[in-house]
Amino acid sequence: MSPSSDPVSPLEQALHAARALVLADLVAGRVAEADVVSMVEESVVQRRWWVEQWPDGAAYVAGLVAQDVQDALLERYGRWPLCPVCEAGDPHALDVEPELGPDPQWVCHKAGVRVAAVGALAGATGGTPSP
């Protein structure tokens, strides 16, 4: 690395990781359309400011971006991601836990189970869209 090139800051690393994890889940659910990807980008911009104000929160960015995108999708399209565990009853969305913490997970409160880590929904859904 030359002296003039700056290494990627921990803040940027956290934001890039959060973006990649949430995009992976959107791709797994086959909902990564251009307008949805724009929602991810908008969240990353907002969370950049948030982490600049609270650097210790960098470990929480992936879960927050996932929640931001989930909320934006709910307003425009409906619940996402739909629970792949519960086959009976009304379709319902998974939740991110912890709401503010490291190592965010998609969980089904109805069944009381952890479905997948944020970024790993393809393994839980087989990479196919939820019904």
Side-chain angles (χ1 to χ4, degrees):
M1 187 180 321
S2 69
S4 63
S5 64
D6 294 327
V8 177
S9 72
L11 164 64
E12 290 301 318
Q13 289 175 4
L15 291 168
H16 289 302
R19 177 187 293 114
L21 291 171
V22 174
L23 286 173
D25 286 346
L26 290 165
V27 168
R30 297 186 181 167
V31 293
E33 302 297 328
D35 60 333
V36 177
V37 172
S38 294
M39 292 176 193
V40 176
E41 296 304 326
E42 182 179 320
S43 174
V44 168
V45 167
Q46 293 171 0
R47 293 304 174 178
R48 175 177 281 113
W49 178 88
W50 183 82
V51 177
E52 287 170 348
Q53 306 311 304
W54 187 45
D56 291 342
Y60 310 153
V61 171
L64 292 170
V65 170
Q67 290 174 63
D68 291 346
V69 171
Q70 187 177 39
D71 291 346
L73 280 168
L74 180 60
E75 290 176 17
R76 288 194 192 169
Y77 301 108
R79 295 176 291 234
W80 175 85
L82 292 180
C83 179
V85 175
C86 299
E87 295 183 14
D90 292 331
H92 56 276
L94 299 174
D95 295 311
V96 175
E97 282 194 0
E99 287 186 20
L100 184 62
D103 191 29
Q105 307 288 315
W106 291 111
V107 299
C108 171
H109 285 289
K110 190 172 184 180
V113 297
R114 179 184 82 82
V115 175
V118 167
L121 272 179
T125 63
T128 59
S130 301

